[in-house]
Amino acid sequence: MSRAAKRLLERILPLLSWACLVVLAPAPASAGAPGGEDQEAEQIEASPEIVAEVEALDVSDEALSKDADQFIKDHPRPKGFDASSADALAKRIESVDPDKVLEALEDLRKEGVTPESTPEFTQRFEKKLEGLPEAPKEAASGEFETLGLGPAEKRLCAAFPDFCASSFALGKVAERKGKGYGKLHNGKGDAFKHAYWMGLLTFYHSELWAKALGNAHEMRPKNPKLEKRMDLHNNTVGRGHGKRANIVTSIDDGVDRGFKRGDLLRISCGGKGPSRLVATDRRGDYCD
């Protein structure tokens, strides 16, 4: 990775701390299978449609990196694009409370300004953030390598540091809301967080960007296949809500209804056997 690309990634480090929960926290051990990192779901407690969809997921690195690489290829930065302006915007986003970033994106959307379709997005976004107070700094590692970003995620964020910065700010918004639903590592809160995050990315960026970043995010080192399947499924559900939404509150409502209906998945803790995927409407002594 070039020195310039590394500097761009380092700008968005504090915004990545929300995503690190699933990287830094150890996965619960399975009662039936030692060395469970590569363990597949032996059972999925969900509707037949969800079971079929999850079983068909391709969680290989090749599949997960495909959308990120295609996005980079299909979305060259505009002619005359100043990379330093994107770097400056990423740094500014880092300093602002994520809820204020969400408000700025909402204002831009109402004005018809979107990241992929508006060449002057960076300048317009930076202007929206002018004068906003800085948020208290949150603890974060100084080395992005320790955060477990996958290679495709690094490529995306090197090419689009401003998009990544706003996306991870929205991730923190989703994390805050997810805490009200349950545990944030593989639990109900994690299920809601991923779906809501992808809904926001689809709404404020695009479905293509949300899928590219969401899939690349699952290429983090040592990410168990069971967790990949859970997150990829919940991401797909969230993108659907974001695509259908006319106003941002409908994403909140849609993901909440899907959560209660059992459209989302969490992971059991394996107390009575191997860890498995469980729909969020199922009750019992799983994780939460």
Side-chain angles (χ1 to χ4, degrees):
M1 179 181 293
S2 70
R3 195 171 295 175
K6 185 171 181 177
R7 282 200 301 270
L8 291 178
L9 283 171
E10 287 171 342
R11 291 297 190 190
I12 61 172
L13 276 175
L15 296 169
L16 294 170
S17 59
W18 75 273
C20 300
L21 291 174
V22 292
V23 177
L24 301 178
S30 165
E37 279 191 359
D38 293 326
Q39 175 186 327
E40 298 286 354
E42 294 188 4
Q43 181 182 358
I44 304 172
E45 296 182 19
S47 69
E49 294 79 12
I50 290 176
V51 171
E53 182 213 316
V54 173
E55 289 179 342
L57 286 171
D58 186 347
V59 298
S60 67
D61 283 353
E62 182 180 3
L64 295 177
S65 65
K66 181 176 67 175
D67 291 291
D69 292 332
Q70 193 65 46
F71 189 92
I72 294 171
K73 179 181 177 181
D74 293 345
H75 294 82
R77 301 314 290 251
K79 188 175 181 180
F81 174 76
D82 181 6
S84 64
S85 65
D87 184 22
L89 176 58
K91 185 177 180 182
R92 182 69 182 114
I93 292 171
E94 169 198 322
S95 70
V96 176
D97 185 274
D99 289 326
K100 297 297 183 183
V101 175
L102 176 62
E103 290 175 13
L105 287 168
E106 177 67 17
D107 288 345
L108 288 171
R109 191 177 189 278
K110 289 177 179 176
E111 296 168 12
V113 177
T114 59
E116 285 91 325
S117 63
T118 309
E120 67 274 16
F121 168 78
T122 299
Q123 292 78 9
R124 297 278 293 273
F125 195 7
E126 194 161 21
K127 199 155 190 64
K128 288 289 182 185
L129 299 179
E130 282 181 2
L132 293 178
E134 292 197 2
K137 291 190 178 296
E138 299 183 31
S141 167
E143 292 293 332
F144 67 85
E145 296 290 347
T146 66
L147 299 180
L149 274 70
E153 197 169 17
K154 292 176 186 176
R155 292 195 295 274
L156 267 183
C157 291
F160 301 92
D162 45 349
F163 289 16
C164 272
S166 63
S167 297
F168 287 120
L170 292 176
K172 295 192 81 168
V173 172
E175 182 187 73
R176 290 174 178 178
K177 193 172 285 285
K179 286 179 180 177
Y181 286 80
K183 196 171 69 145
L184 284 174
H185 178 53
N186 292 340
K188 291 181 178 179
D190 196 1
F192 183 94
K193 177 187 73 177
H194 268 270
Y196 188 53
W197 182 39
M198 287 294 116
L200 293 177
L201 292 194
T202 301
F203 189 72
Y204 289 115
H205 280 264
S206 71
E207 186 178 13
L208 289 174
W209 170 257
K211 188 177 182 183
L213 184 62
N215 284 1
H217 190 64
E218 295 307 314
M219 288 178 66
R220 300 182 316 276
K222 299 181 181 179
N223 189 22
K225 288 183 180 179
L226 194 60
E227 295 186 22
K228 288 182 183 180
R229 293 185 187 279
M230 168 189 164
D231 292 343
L232 289 171
H233 168 77
N234 294 334
N235 288 353
T236 300
V237 174
R239 289 196 303 271
H241 287 295
K243 188 176 180 179
R244 292 187 294 271
N246 293 316
I247 55 175
V248 68
T249 52
S250 65
I251 302 175
D252 300 52
D253 296 340
V255 175
D256 178 73
R257 286 196 301 272
F259 176 92
K260 293 173 180 174
R261 192 168 52 227
D263 295 346
L264 306 180
L265 295 173
R266 56 177 170 137
I267 295 180
S268 76
C269 290
K272 296 181 179 179
S275 294
R276 59 198 182 279
L277 296 171
V278 181
T280 49
D281 65 336
R282 305 294 172 96
R283 298 179 181 274
D285 185 18
Y286 296 113
C287 287
D288 300 335

mmCIF file of all heavy atoms in Angstrom, residues 147-193:
data_model
loop_
_atom_site.group_PDB
_atom_site.id
_atom_site.type_symbol
_atom_site.label_atom_id
_atom_site.label_comp_id
_atom_site.label_asym_id
_atom_site.label_seq_id
_atom_site.Cartn_x
_atom_site.Cartn_y
_atom_site.Cartn_z
ATOM 1 N N LEU A 147 -6.976 -3.126 13.353
ATOM 2 C CA LEU A 147 -8.426 -3.109 13.361
ATOM 3 C C LEU A 147 -9.009 -4.206 12.482
ATOM 4 O O LEU A 147 -10.211 -4.412 12.457
ATOM 5 C CB LEU A 147 -8.940 -1.748 12.883
ATOM 6 C CG LEU A 147 -8.499 -0.569 13.752
ATOM 7 C CD1 LEU A 147 -9.049 0.726 13.192
ATOM 8 C CD2 LEU A 147 -8.949 -0.755 15.185
ATOM 9 N N GLY A 148 -8.160 -4.897 11.748
ATOM 10 C CA GLY A 148 -8.625 -6.027 10.982
ATOM 11 C C GLY A 148 -9.363 -5.691 9.709
ATOM 12 O O GLY A 148 -10.253 -6.433 9.306
ATOM 13 N N LEU A 149 -9.055 -4.557 9.066
ATOM 14 C CA LEU A 149 -9.675 -4.274 7.777
ATOM 15 C C LEU A 149 -9.213 -5.292 6.753
ATOM 16 O O LEU A 149 -8.051 -5.648 6.707
ATOM 17 C CB LEU A 149 -9.304 -2.870 7.285
ATOM 18 C CG LEU A 149 -10.155 -1.700 7.767
ATOM 19 C CD1 LEU A 149 -9.901 -1.448 9.234
ATOM 20 C CD2 LEU A 149 -9.842 -0.449 6.957
ATOM 21 N N GLY A 150 -10.163 -5.731 5.921
ATOM 22 C CA GLY A 150 -9.800 -6.650 4.857
ATOM 23 C C GLY A 150 -9.147 -5.908 3.701
ATOM 24 O O GLY A 150 -9.250 -4.682 3.589
ATOM 25 N N PRO A 151 -8.481 -6.620 2.808
ATOM 26 C CA PRO A 151 -7.775 -5.971 1.699
ATOM 27 C C PRO A 151 -8.686 -5.189 0.765
ATOM 28 O O PRO A 151 -8.328 -4.110 0.297
ATOM 29 C CB PRO A 151 -7.104 -7.147 0.976
ATOM 30 C CG PRO A 151 -7.845 -8.368 1.428
ATOM 31 C CD PRO A 151 -8.291 -8.078 2.817
ATOM 32 N N ALA A 152 -9.881 -5.708 0.477
ATOM 33 C CA ALA A 152 -10.799 -4.981 -0.404
ATOM 34 C C ALA A 152 -11.315 -3.718 0.264
ATOM 35 O O ALA A 152 -11.517 -2.687 -0.389
ATOM 36 C CB ALA A 152 -11.963 -5.884 -0.801
ATOM 37 N N GLU A 153 -11.522 -3.781 1.580
ATOM 38 C CA GLU A 153 -11.979 -2.604 2.327
ATOM 39 C C GLU A 153 -10.901 -1.522 2.307
ATOM 40 O O GLU A 153 -11.202 -0.329 2.174
ATOM 41 C CB GLU A 153 -12.307 -3.013 3.765
ATOM 42 C CG GLU A 153 -13.159 -2.024 4.526
ATOM 43 C CD GLU A 153 -13.655 -2.597 5.836
ATOM 44 O OE1 GLU A 153 -13.107 -3.620 6.312
ATOM 45 O OE2 GLU A 153 -14.609 -2.035 6.393
ATOM 46 N N LYS A 154 -9.640 -1.929 2.412
ATOM 47 C CA LYS A 154 -8.539 -0.962 2.340
ATOM 48 C C LYS A 154 -8.494 -0.298 0.964
ATOM 49 O O LYS A 154 -8.282 0.913 0.853
ATOM 50 C CB LYS A 154 -7.216 -1.660 2.633
ATOM 51 C CG LYS A 154 -7.053 -2.138 4.065
ATOM 52 C CD LYS A 154 -5.743 -2.894 4.213
ATOM 53 C CE LYS A 154 -5.622 -3.518 5.591
ATOM 54 N NZ LYS A 154 -4.402 -4.338 5.728
ATOM 55 N N ARG A 155 -8.709 -1.092 -0.078
ATOM 56 C CA ARG A 155 -8.679 -0.527 -1.431
ATOM 57 C C ARG A 155 -9.805 0.487 -1.618
ATOM 58 O O ARG A 155 -9.612 1.556 -2.206
ATOM 59 C CB ARG A 155 -8.787 -1.645 -2.481
ATOM 60 C CG ARG A 155 -7.576 -2.554 -2.551
ATOM 61 C CD ARG A 155 -7.568 -3.394 -3.822
ATOM 62 N NE ARG A 155 -8.657 -4.345 -3.913
ATOM 63 C CZ ARG A 155 -8.641 -5.565 -3.386
ATOM 64 N NH1 ARG A 155 -7.586 -5.976 -2.687
ATOM 65 N NH2 ARG A 155 -9.666 -6.393 -3.540
ATOM 66 N N LEU A 156 -10.991 0.146 -1.125
ATOM 67 C CA LEU A 156 -12.119 1.068 -1.238
ATOM 68 C C LEU A 156 -11.851 2.379 -0.516
ATOM 69 O O LEU A 156 -12.119 3.463 -1.030
ATOM 70 C CB LEU A 156 -13.381 0.425 -0.651
ATOM 71 C CG LEU A 156 -14.330 -0.338 -1.566
ATOM 72 C CD1 LEU A 156 -15.531 -0.811 -0.763
ATOM 73 C CD2 LEU A 156 -14.795 0.510 -2.730
ATOM 74 N N CYS A 157 -11.329 2.270 0.706
ATOM 75 C CA CYS A 157 -11.136 3.467 1.518
ATOM 76 C C CYS A 157 -9.956 4.302 1.038
ATOM 77 O O CYS A 157 -9.919 5.510 1.268
ATOM 78 C CB CYS A 157 -10.958 3.085 2.987
ATOM 79 S SG CYS A 157 -12.476 2.440 3.731
ATOM 80 N N ALA A 158 -8.999 3.681 0.368
ATOM 81 C CA ALA A 158 -7.906 4.446 -0.224
ATOM 82 C C ALA A 158 -8.418 5.242 -1.424
ATOM 83 O O ALA A 158 -8.013 6.379 -1.652
ATOM 84 C CB ALA A 158 -6.774 3.514 -0.651
ATOM 85 N N ALA A 159 -9.336 4.647 -2.193
ATOM 86 C CA ALA A 159 -9.881 5.316 -3.370
ATOM 87 C C ALA A 159 -10.972 6.324 -3.007
ATOM 88 O O ALA A 159 -11.119 7.352 -3.669
ATOM 89 C CB ALA A 159 -10.451 4.283 -4.338
ATOM 90 N N PHE A 160 -11.722 6.024 -1.943
ATOM 91 C CA PHE A 160 -12.847 6.882 -1.557
ATOM 92 C C PHE A 160 -12.800 7.173 -0.048
ATOM 93 O O PHE A 160 -13.668 6.725 0.706
ATOM 94 C CB PHE A 160 -14.174 6.201 -1.899
ATOM 95 C CG PHE A 160 -14.346 5.883 -3.349
ATOM 96 C CD1 PHE A 160 -13.959 4.642 -3.859
ATOM 97 C CD2 PHE A 160 -14.877 6.813 -4.226
ATOM 98 C CE1 PHE A 160 -14.112 4.339 -5.195
ATOM 99 C CE2 PHE A 160 -15.039 6.519 -5.565
ATOM 100 C CZ PHE A 160 -14.649 5.290 -6.060
ATOM 101 N N PRO A 161 -11.803 7.921 0.422
ATOM 102 C CA PRO A 161 -11.703 8.186 1.857
ATOM 103 C C PRO A 161 -12.890 8.977 2.395
ATOM 104 O O PRO A 161 -13.313 8.769 3.531
ATOM 105 C CB PRO A 161 -10.406 8.999 1.976
ATOM 106 C CG PRO A 161 -10.208 9.598 0.629
ATOM 107 C CD PRO A 161 -10.733 8.594 -0.342
ATOM 108 N N ASP A 162 -13.456 9.863 1.565
ATOM 109 C CA ASP A 162 -14.608 10.646 2.001
ATOM 110 C C ASP A 162 -15.847 9.766 2.120
ATOM 111 O O ASP A 162 -16.608 9.871 3.086
ATOM 112 C CB ASP A 162 -14.871 11.814 1.044
ATOM 113 C CG ASP A 162 -14.793 11.417 -0.432
ATOM 114 O OD1 ASP A 162 -14.331 10.301 -0.743
ATOM 115 O OD2 ASP A 162 -15.189 12.245 -1.281
ATOM 116 N N PHE A 163 -16.053 8.846 1.160
ATOM 117 C CA PHE A 163 -17.188 7.931 1.239
ATOM 118 C C PHE A 163 -17.065 7.026 2.467
ATOM 119 O O PHE A 163 -18.040 6.785 3.177
ATOM 120 C CB PHE A 163 -17.263 7.042 -0.010
ATOM 121 C CG PHE A 163 -17.678 7.745 -1.272
ATOM 122 C CD1 PHE A 163 -17.650 9.129 -1.380
ATOM 123 C CD2 PHE A 163 -18.085 7.018 -2.374
ATOM 124 C CE1 PHE A 163 -18.024 9.773 -2.549
ATOM 125 C CE2 PHE A 163 -18.467 7.639 -3.543
ATOM 126 C CZ PHE A 163 -18.432 9.022 -3.638
ATOM 127 N N CYS A 164 -15.862 6.509 2.694
ATOM 128 C CA CYS A 164 -15.657 5.616 3.831
ATOM 129 C C CYS A 164 -15.882 6.336 5.150
ATOM 130 O O CYS A 164 -16.491 5.797 6.072
ATOM 131 C CB CYS A 164 -14.248 5.019 3.792
ATOM 132 S SG CYS A 164 -14.131 3.496 2.820
ATOM 133 N N ALA A 165 -15.386 7.572 5.234
ATOM 134 C CA ALA A 165 -15.533 8.325 6.480
ATOM 135 C C ALA A 165 -17.006 8.549 6.803
ATOM 136 O O ALA A 165 -17.449 8.350 7.942
ATOM 137 C CB ALA A 165 -14.793 9.655 6.381
ATOM 138 N N SER A 166 -17.792 8.958 5.808
ATOM 139 C CA SER A 166 -19.219 9.162 6.062
ATOM 140 C C SER A 166 -19.909 7.833 6.353
ATOM 141 O O SER A 166 -20.805 7.756 7.203
ATOM 142 C CB SER A 166 -19.884 9.860 4.871
ATOM 143 O OG SER A 166 -19.811 9.075 3.703
ATOM 144 N N SER A 167 -19.474 6.763 5.699
ATOM 145 C CA SER A 167 -20.082 5.445 5.915
ATOM 146 C C SER A 167 -19.831 4.930 7.320
ATOM 147 O O SER A 167 -20.734 4.369 7.964
ATOM 148 C CB SER A 167 -19.535 4.445 4.889
ATOM 149 O OG SER A 167 -19.891 4.818 3.581
ATOM 150 N N PHE A 168 -18.612 5.107 7.822
ATOM 151 C CA PHE A 168 -18.323 4.626 9.166
ATOM 152 C C PHE A 168 -18.946 5.525 10.233
ATOM 153 O O PHE A 168 -19.243 5.068 11.334
ATOM 154 C CB PHE A 168 -16.813 4.473 9.364
ATOM 155 C CG PHE A 168 -16.250 3.289 8.625
ATOM 156 C CD1 PHE A 168 -15.279 3.447 7.661
ATOM 157 C CD2 PHE A 168 -16.719 2.017 8.876
ATOM 158 C CE1 PHE A 168 -14.784 2.361 6.958
ATOM 159 C CE2 PHE A 168 -16.234 0.918 8.185
ATOM 160 C CZ PHE A 168 -15.256 1.091 7.220
ATOM 161 N N ALA A 169 -19.159 6.805 9.894
ATOM 162 C CA ALA A 169 -19.924 7.656 10.806
ATOM 163 C C ALA A 169 -21.357 7.147 10.912
ATOM 164 O O ALA A 169 -21.934 7.073 12.003
ATOM 165 C CB ALA A 169 -19.907 9.103 10.308
ATOM 166 N N LEU A 170 -21.946 6.764 9.770
ATOM 167 C CA LEU A 170 -23.286 6.183 9.795
ATOM 168 C C LEU A 170 -23.288 4.847 10.539
ATOM 169 O O LEU A 170 -24.277 4.475 11.176
ATOM 170 C CB LEU A 170 -23.804 5.990 8.373
ATOM 171 C CG LEU A 170 -24.096 7.269 7.582
ATOM 172 C CD1 LEU A 170 -24.515 6.932 6.155
ATOM 173 C CD2 LEU A 170 -25.163 8.110 8.266
ATOM 174 N N GLY A 171 -22.165 4.139 10.484
ATOM 175 C CA GLY A 171 -22.042 2.902 11.246
ATOM 176 C C GLY A 171 -22.130 3.150 12.739
ATOM 177 O O GLY A 171 -22.725 2.356 13.479
ATOM 178 N N LYS A 172 -21.567 4.267 13.177
ATOM 179 C CA LYS A 172 -21.645 4.586 14.602
ATOM 180 C C LYS A 172 -23.069 4.970 14.989
ATOM 181 O O LYS A 172 -23.525 4.677 16.101
ATOM 182 C CB LYS A 172 -20.665 5.703 14.927
ATOM 183 C CG LYS A 172 -19.204 5.308 14.724
ATOM 184 C CD LYS A 172 -18.229 6.289 15.319
ATOM 185 C CE LYS A 172 -18.077 6.035 16.808
ATOM 186 N NZ LYS A 172 -16.934 6.768 17.385
ATOM 187 N N VAL A 173 -23.773 5.641 14.078
ATOM 188 C CA VAL A 173 -25.190 5.938 14.317
ATOM 189 C C VAL A 173 -25.966 4.634 14.481
ATOM 190 O O VAL A 173 -26.790 4.480 15.395
ATOM 191 C CB VAL A 173 -25.785 6.767 13.150
ATOM 192 C CG1 VAL A 173 -27.297 6.901 13.300
ATOM 193 C CG2 VAL A 173 -25.129 8.148 13.093
ATOM 194 N N ALA A 174 -25.687 3.679 13.590
ATOM 195 C CA ALA A 174 -26.372 2.386 13.654
ATOM 196 C C ALA A 174 -26.021 1.627 14.924
ATOM 197 O O ALA A 174 -26.875 0.952 15.521
ATOM 198 C CB ALA A 174 -26.008 1.545 12.423
ATOM 199 N N GLU A 175 -24.773 1.740 15.352
ATOM 200 C CA GLU A 175 -24.366 1.055 16.576
ATOM 201 C C GLU A 175 -25.106 1.603 17.785
ATOM 202 O O GLU A 175 -25.569 0.847 18.653
ATOM 203 C CB GLU A 175 -22.866 1.205 16.795
ATOM 204 C CG GLU A 175 -22.368 0.480 18.034
ATOM 205 C CD GLU A 175 -20.915 0.787 18.333
ATOM 206 O OE1 GLU A 175 -20.659 1.919 18.785
ATOM 207 O OE2 GLU A 175 -20.063 -0.062 18.105
ATOM 208 N N ARG A 176 -25.232 2.927 17.844
ATOM 209 C CA ARG A 176 -25.938 3.546 18.973
ATOM 210 C C ARG A 176 -27.372 3.048 19.050
ATOM 211 O O ARG A 176 -27.886 2.759 20.124
ATOM 212 C CB ARG A 176 -25.914 5.073 18.825
ATOM 213 C CG ARG A 176 -24.542 5.695 19.033
ATOM 214 C CD ARG A 176 -24.557 7.187 18.727
ATOM 215 N NE ARG A 176 -23.268 7.804 18.959
ATOM 216 C CZ ARG A 176 -23.003 9.089 18.726
ATOM 217 N NH1 ARG A 176 -23.954 9.877 18.249
ATOM 218 N NH2 ARG A 176 -21.800 9.583 18.968
ATOM 219 N N LYS A 177 -28.013 2.945 17.902
ATOM 220 C CA LYS A 177 -29.398 2.476 17.881
ATOM 221 C C LYS A 177 -29.461 0.975 18.182
ATOM 222 O O LYS A 177 -30.382 0.504 18.858
ATOM 223 C CB LYS A 177 -30.032 2.785 16.525
ATOM 224 C CG LYS A 177 -31.538 2.625 16.499
ATOM 225 C CD LYS A 177 -32.118 3.129 15.189
ATOM 226 C CE LYS A 177 -32.152 4.634 15.118
ATOM 227 N NZ LYS A 177 -33.225 5.224 15.945
ATOM 228 N N GLY A 178 -28.478 0.233 17.693
ATOM 229 C CA GLY A 178 -28.471 -1.206 17.910
ATOM 230 C C GLY A 178 -28.340 -1.604 19.369
ATOM 231 O O GLY A 178 -28.826 -2.666 19.769
ATOM 232 N N LYS A 179 -27.702 -0.758 20.168
ATOM 233 C CA LYS A 179 -27.532 -1.075 21.591
ATOM 234 C C LYS A 179 -28.867 -1.268 22.291
ATOM 235 O O LYS A 179 -28.952 -1.992 23.282
ATOM 236 C CB LYS A 179 -26.740 0.038 22.280
ATOM 237 C CG LYS A 179 -25.258 0.037 21.951
ATOM 238 C CD LYS A 179 -24.550 1.190 22.647
ATOM 239 C CE LYS A 179 -23.053 1.189 22.309
ATOM 240 N NZ LYS A 179 -22.345 2.331 22.915
ATOM 241 N N GLY A 180 -29.897 -0.612 21.776
ATOM 242 C CA GLY A 180 -31.213 -0.742 22.388
ATOM 243 C C GLY A 180 -31.901 -2.055 22.078
ATOM 244 O O GLY A 180 -32.951 -2.358 22.647
ATOM 245 N N TYR A 181 -31.302 -2.861 21.202
ATOM 246 C CA TYR A 181 -31.920 -4.118 20.791
ATOM 247 C C TYR A 181 -31.239 -5.343 21.393
ATOM 248 O O TYR A 181 -31.774 -6.445 21.313
ATOM 249 C CB TYR A 181 -31.921 -4.234 19.271
ATOM 250 C CG TYR A 181 -32.944 -3.342 18.618
ATOM 251 C CD1 TYR A 181 -32.689 -1.989 18.432
ATOM 252 C CD2 TYR A 181 -34.174 -3.840 18.207
ATOM 253 C CE1 TYR A 181 -33.638 -1.155 17.841
ATOM 254 C CE2 TYR A 181 -35.130 -3.022 17.618
ATOM 255 C CZ TYR A 181 -34.850 -1.675 17.439
ATOM 256 O OH TYR A 181 -35.790 -0.844 16.865
ATOM 257 N N GLY A 182 -30.059 -5.166 21.969
ATOM 258 C CA GLY A 182 -29.382 -6.307 22.561
ATOM 259 C C GLY A 182 -27.884 -6.256 22.356
ATOM 260 O O GLY A 182 -27.315 -5.213 22.023
ATOM 261 N N LYS A 183 -27.258 -7.386 22.564
ATOM 262 C CA LYS A 183 -25.803 -7.489 22.521
ATOM 263 C C LYS A 183 -25.255 -7.154 21.141
ATOM 264 O O LYS A 183 -25.800 -7.595 20.124
ATOM 265 C CB LYS A 183 -25.378 -8.899 22.931
ATOM 266 C CG LYS A 183 -23.913 -9.015 23.301
ATOM 267 C CD LYS A 183 -23.610 -10.376 23.892
ATOM 268 C CE LYS A 183 -23.719 -11.444 22.835
ATOM 269 N NZ LYS A 183 -22.747 -12.528 22.990
ATOM 270 N N LEU A 184 -24.153 -6.390 21.118
ATOM 271 C CA LEU A 184 -23.597 -5.913 19.853
ATOM 272 C C LEU A 184 -22.608 -6.879 19.219
ATOM 273 O O LEU A 184 -22.191 -6.653 18.086
ATOM 274 C CB LEU A 184 -22.924 -4.549 20.053
ATOM 275 C CG LEU A 184 -23.873 -3.359 20.191
ATOM 276 C CD1 LEU A 184 -23.098 -2.104 20.539
ATOM 277 C CD2 LEU A 184 -24.682 -3.150 18.922
ATOM 278 N N HIS A 185 -22.206 -7.919 19.907
ATOM 279 C CA HIS A 185 -21.344 -8.920 19.288
ATOM 280 C C HIS A 185 -22.145 -10.188 19.048
ATOM 281 O O HIS A 185 -22.395 -10.974 19.967
ATOM 282 C CB HIS A 185 -20.115 -9.219 20.151
ATOM 283 C CG HIS A 185 -19.240 -10.288 19.566
ATOM 284 N ND1 HIS A 185 -18.762 -10.231 18.288
ATOM 285 C CD2 HIS A 185 -18.794 -11.461 20.081
ATOM 286 C CE1 HIS A 185 -18.047 -11.307 18.035
ATOM 287 N NE2 HIS A 185 -18.058 -12.077 19.107
ATOM 288 N N ASN A 186 -22.608 -10.354 17.805
ATOM 289 C CA ASN A 186 -23.335 -11.550 17.370
ATOM 290 C C ASN A 186 -24.736 -11.688 17.957
ATOM 291 O O ASN A 186 -25.418 -12.671 17.694
ATOM 292 C CB ASN A 186 -22.546 -12.828 17.670
ATOM 293 C CG ASN A 186 -21.294 -12.936 16.824
ATOM 294 O OD1 ASN A 186 -21.181 -12.291 15.784
ATOM 295 N ND2 ASN A 186 -20.345 -13.736 17.276
ATOM 296 N N GLY A 187 -25.160 -10.714 18.757
ATOM 297 C CA GLY A 187 -26.485 -10.786 19.348
ATOM 298 C C GLY A 187 -27.521 -10.008 18.561
ATOM 299 O O GLY A 187 -27.318 -9.638 17.399
ATOM 300 N N LYS A 188 -28.642 -9.732 19.195
ATOM 301 C CA LYS A 188 -29.732 -9.032 18.525
ATOM 302 C C LYS A 188 -29.333 -7.611 18.129
ATOM 303 O O LYS A 188 -29.750 -7.110 17.087
ATOM 304 C CB LYS A 188 -30.962 -9.003 19.438
ATOM 305 C CG LYS A 188 -31.607 -10.365 19.654
ATOM 306 C CD LYS A 188 -32.833 -10.228 20.547
ATOM 307 C CE LYS A 188 -33.534 -11.567 20.733
ATOM 308 N NZ LYS A 188 -34.719 -11.452 21.613
ATOM 309 N N GLY A 189 -28.555 -6.954 18.996
ATOM 310 C CA GLY A 189 -28.111 -5.604 18.670
ATOM 311 C C GLY A 189 -27.230 -5.573 17.439
ATOM 312 O O GLY A 189 -27.281 -4.638 16.630
ATOM 313 N N ASP A 190 -26.409 -6.605 17.276
ATOM 314 C CA ASP A 190 -25.539 -6.717 16.106
ATOM 315 C C ASP A 190 -26.373 -6.898 14.840
ATOM 316 O O ASP A 190 -26.096 -6.304 13.790
ATOM 317 C CB ASP A 190 -24.601 -7.913 16.296
ATOM 318 C CG ASP A 190 -23.408 -7.885 15.346
ATOM 319 O OD1 ASP A 190 -23.288 -6.928 14.559
ATOM 320 O OD2 ASP A 190 -22.596 -8.822 15.397
ATOM 321 N N ALA A 191 -27.404 -7.712 14.932
ATOM 322 C CA ALA A 191 -28.285 -7.953 13.781
ATOM 323 C C ALA A 191 -28.939 -6.650 13.336
ATOM 324 O O ALA A 191 -28.949 -6.311 12.140
ATOM 325 C CB ALA A 191 -29.349 -8.989 14.138
ATOM 326 N N PHE A 192 -29.490 -5.909 14.292
ATOM 327 C CA PHE A 192 -30.136 -4.631 13.951
ATOM 328 C C PHE A 192 -29.124 -3.647 13.390
ATOM 329 O O PHE A 192 -29.394 -2.966 12.401
ATOM 330 C CB PHE A 192 -30.816 -4.040 15.187
ATOM 331 C CG PHE A 192 -31.564 -2.767 14.884
ATOM 332 C CD1 PHE A 192 -32.911 -2.801 14.578
ATOM 333 C CD2 PHE A 192 -30.914 -1.537 14.885
ATOM 334 C CE1 PHE A 192 -33.607 -1.620 14.275
ATOM 335 C CE2 PHE A 192 -31.590 -0.359 14.581
ATOM 336 C CZ PHE A 192 -32.935 -0.406 14.275
ATOM 337 N N LYS A 193 -27.955 -3.572 14.029
ATOM 338 C CA LYS A 193 -26.924 -2.610 13.617
ATOM 339 C C LYS A 193 -26.545 -2.797 12.157
ATOM 340 O O LYS A 193 -26.494 -1.823 11.393
ATOM 341 C CB LYS A 193 -25.679 -2.783 14.501
ATOM 342 C CG LYS A 193 -24.509 -1.891 14.113
ATOM 343 C CD LYS A 193 -23.275 -2.238 14.926
ATOM 344 C CE LYS A 193 -22.664 -3.554 14.492
ATOM 345 N NZ LYS A 193 -21.416 -3.875 15.220
#
